[in-house]
Amino acid sequence: MLDEQTEAGRVALIGAGPGDPELLTLKARRLLHEADVVIYDRLVSSEILELARREAIVIEVGKIPDGPSWKQDDINALMVQHAGGGAHVARLKSGDPAVFGRLDEEMDALDNAGIAFEIIPGITSAAAAAASIKVSWTRRGRNKSFRLMTGHDVDGFAEHDWRGLAQAGAAAAIYMGVRAARFVQGRLMIHGADPDTPITAIENASRSDQKIVATTLGGLPDALAGAGITGPAILFLGLAPREALDVADRIDTTHIPTAEAL
Ligand code: SAH
């Protein structure tokens, strides 16, 4: 007699990367292809969803800033419902699931329901954005740390260590920062940041409709409005596109070892 017990369901919490399907990991692709149910965020690109099996149930759980949204509890319940029924669920999240992705709430819900899960890291949008403008997050002689910041949190525009961020050489990626741009500008300037500090906005990084706006802290809100940046974008504080730098800036001669040091 056949064992009637259903196979245990499970969830893969998958980083879908910034949009370009070639930036998906092989593991993400395999799990997506094996999934019975695919639950995805609004920013996951359609080329990636095409990698799901034809028979898979594919559900969007979009969260539109200031628009109609799925509630996090309902997303959690959906995963629990399908995996609890024995399905292999691929939960696709944009970029890396551990970066501003409410990953902990989803892990807690799965743990509470006794459902096994694994996490597949993805390329976070700030990594793709840095590649698009050919800069490093960290560079010898410029910055020893790099921050991932959000423009918003549950209370509205997010507060940060503005004094530290206003220092020369500070570098950061601001997620969800477009609407907070004027606020960020004001906070940094009050704390003494140089208005000429470079800021680069990269909208739709890695996608065919990518847009790059290179500006300065002083010109930030006007530059974003002028370029019509409305989609998902990373704002880099303290980083200018490589081609905007002159050669002396690009070659960090202070750290090239001298003959005696070799
Ligand atoms: N987990 C995601 C971030 C989710 S928060 C990651 O690791 O990238 C959503 C924010 O991510 C957006 O407001 C935007 O700031 C950024 N974002 C997501 N996809 C992007 C893309 N292709 N280009 C630029 N920014 C992007």
Side-chain angles (χ1 to χ4, degrees):
M1 215 175 106
L2 280 173
D3 182 356
E4 293 204 332
Q5 203 183 353
T6 46
E7 194 200 336
R10 55 186 165 83
V11 176
L13 297 157
I14 300 175
D20 177 352
E22 285 196 295
L23 293 178
L24 203 61
T25 62
L26 294 175
K27 195 164 192 175
R29 188 175 73 170
R30 175 175 62 76
L31 288 165
L32 178 55
H33 185 69
E34 287 172 4
D36 307 305
V37 178
V38 177
I39 299 175
Y40 70 98
D41 285 345
R42 188 177 60 94
L43 293 179
V44 174
S45 69
S46 52
E47 294 102 308
I48 287 172
L49 293 169
E50 280 165 20
L51 300 169
R53 283 183 303 138
R54 208 182 289 274
E55 314 82 79
I57 300 169
V58 180
I59 307 165
E60 181 188 342
V61 289
K63 291 208 197 97
I64 301 168
D66 285 342
S69 294
W70 271 71
K71 292 202 171 51
Q72 188 63 47
D73 285 346
D74 295 336
I75 299 173
N76 297 348
L78 192 67
M79 287 191 299
V80 167
Q81 177 203 329
H82 284 286
H88 289 182
V89 176
R91 168 71 176 111
L92 289 180
K93 301 168 84 67
S94 74
D96 183 276
V99 179
F100 303 125
R102 303 190 68 173
L103 176 63
D104 296 84
E105 280 134 286
E106 300 192 2
M107 293 192 293
D108 288 348
L110 295 169
D111 269 341
N112 289 339
I115 289 167
F117 65 86
E118 66 180 315
I119 297 170
I120 317 303
I123 293 185
T124 192
S125 41
S132 294
I133 63 167
K134 299 191 174 73
V135 296
S136 317
W137 278 1
T138 59
R139 187 177 119 169
R140 281 200 295 174
R142 183 190 62 208
N143 59 322
K144 295 182 195 144
S145 66
F146 182 80
R147 300 182 214 211
L148 304 185
M149 301 166 45
T150 178
H152 275 268
D153 61 16
V154 281
D155 302 322
F157 295 148
E159 292 293 354
H160 295 280
D161 163 27
W162 301 113
R163 191 175 303 281
L165 290 161
Q167 304 294 311
I174 309 175
Y175 291 69
M176 296 170 275
V178 174
R179 281 180 306 142
R182 197 170 285 283
F183 171 82
V184 170
Q185 179 198 45
R187 284 288 196 271
L188 287 169
M189 305 265 266
I190 286 170
H191 288 85
D194 182 345
D196 288 334
T197 304
I199 303 239
T200 312
I202 301 95
E203 180 185 52
N204 292 316
S206 88
R207 300 179 186 232
S208 56
D209 52 355
Q210 169 176 286
K211 211 187 262 184
I212 296 170
V213 179
T215 182
T216 58
L217 182 59
L220 177 63
D222 292 343
L224 294 180
I229 300 289
T230 52
I234 290 293
L235 303 184
F236 279 132
L237 168 68
L239 300 181
R242 180 173 170 83
E243 68 256 29
L245 304 175
D246 61 31
V247 176
D249 282 338
R250 281 191 226 153
I251 302 170
D252 185 4
T253 44
T254 51
H255 290 277
I256 295 174
T258 57
E260 298 92 82
L262 287 173

